[in-house]
Amino acid sequence: MDLLFLTLDKYDDKPLYEQLYLNLKQAIIQKNIAVGTKLPSKRTLSDFLNISQTTVELAYGQLLAEGYIMSKPRIGYFVEEIDELPYVEKVAAPTVAQIDAPRSYQYDFSPNKIDEEGFPFQIWRKYAKDIFDESSKNLLQAGHPQGELALRLEIARYLYESRGIQCSPEQIVIGSGTEQLLPMILRLFDEDAKIALENPGYSAIPKAHIQSRAIPISVDVDGIVVDELEKSEAHLVYITPSHQFPTGAVLSATRRTQLLKWAAQMPARYIIEDDYDSEFRYIGKPIPALLGLDQGERVIYMSTFSKSIMPSLRVAYLVLPLSLLPKYKEVFSYYSATVPRFDQHLLANFMSDGHFSKHLNRMRKIYRKKHDKLISVFSKYYPEVIISGDSAGMHILLSIPHHRSEKELQACAVQSGLYIQPITRYMLTPLSYQHPTFILGFGGIPLDKIETSIHALMQAFYETNSTL
């Protein structure tokens, strides 16, 4: 065997064994060394290249591990036959400049933003430090598929005290968001079961899951129009009754009763109640949860800590009726909780020591001040603007009397470094509004910037010199 093709550079950054391995590998792939050829012994090759036998042994070992050569005990190493791989031309990896980066805005009116300054970092840091300790090493193992018992106990206690809901930890399932939990709920029912959705409305159900199953139901000032629902073929309905998203409507007492009666009329009918921001209400008394009124076990309740603590925590939960538990355990016998156990226990400890309640009280005051400031600025400077859905939550609905279209106004806002979502983004089927209508979230805008941000937005909307 001719060894002259083997060249090593002792000044190269690559280790000598790696250079030797790559040389031999390339020769085998290109058929420069025939299949079945015996490779030189470690001593022979080390003498020829003036390198140690250990270097040769490492190179041969790598070739052996990857299947390029085979070893015959007390005889030597022989070249193996390898399948030819199709040649694929490499595409240069995108540089940082080529990768899309999220655009930054001077003011972001997204409805999913929260106040960052009010978060209790020191307290949270303490609980995080305590949980990431050798005393918690058992949390390295897989936990309960429905979530940690400690957290489910705290959620059950919180729901009873704040929402009048009586449930056991056995009924609670922890998940990493409503986007994950909603498709799980759908799997508990027939694949062709129709689901009614508020229109406009938010749905974390992927469109692929509901394309042929969704039935849009109108929403008015009293919430979802149950009369429409009763005429539909739906067996499931997904609603946000305490603060309808995005209109802000509150489901009236009459419609709550009507909706529960609708569910009770047939055994396969269920209501999915998303109570995502019930903690923040500014006008009137807290709205009771549908689940708290349900006597027939027809309400599947779900909520999240995205608004009450932070969106990045990725902890949501659902409360299943006892009648659905056997089906759930059958369908999801393989399921593993998608929220890390450490995060679950951190949150459970934060709740059990009373810090969650204190944090909520503090954030209610902060958001109320922002809400009141927002309403005051619009009332004082822009009375022509129509505001609705302002009784709760962290956003309002803004209707702008204007000769320009919603699309044009949004382009003006973006051009001025402002982000705001149009209501059309949340429509299942087209709806007509008298004026361009937007969802204005105020949770992420600092209190001292509320007035400035509104002036900037309205200037962008009404500036006659704006170009599109």
Side-chain angles (χ1 to χ4, degrees), residues 444-456:
I445 309 292
L447 179 62
D448 61 355
K449 300 291 185 182
I450 291 285
E451 182 169 344
T452 306
S453 66
I454 293 172
H455 289 319

Side-chain angles (χ1 to χ4, degrees), residues 122-183:
Q122 289 186 341
I123 296 172
W124 192 262
R125 187 185 303 117
K126 174 189 177 300
Y127 281 94
K129 184 179 178 182
D130 290 346
I131 201 68
F132 286 99
D133 184 82
E134 285 188 1
S135 61
S136 303
K137 59 186 178 183
N138 65 300
L139 300 183
L140 296 172
Q141 305 294 346
H144 194 285
Q146 287 181 219
E148 297 300 289
L149 178 60
L151 180 56
R152 287 185 285 132
L153 279 166
E154 288 303 320
I155 289 172
R157 182 174 62 82
Y158 166 71
L159 289 176
Y160 177 72
E161 293 175 355
S162 67
R163 306 296 288 138
I165 294 172
Q166 288 186 315
C167 65
S168 68
E170 184 189 12
Q171 295 172 257
I172 297 173
V173 179
I174 307 294
S176 55
T178 52
E179 298 89 348
Q180 181 225 356
L181 292 177
L182 270 170

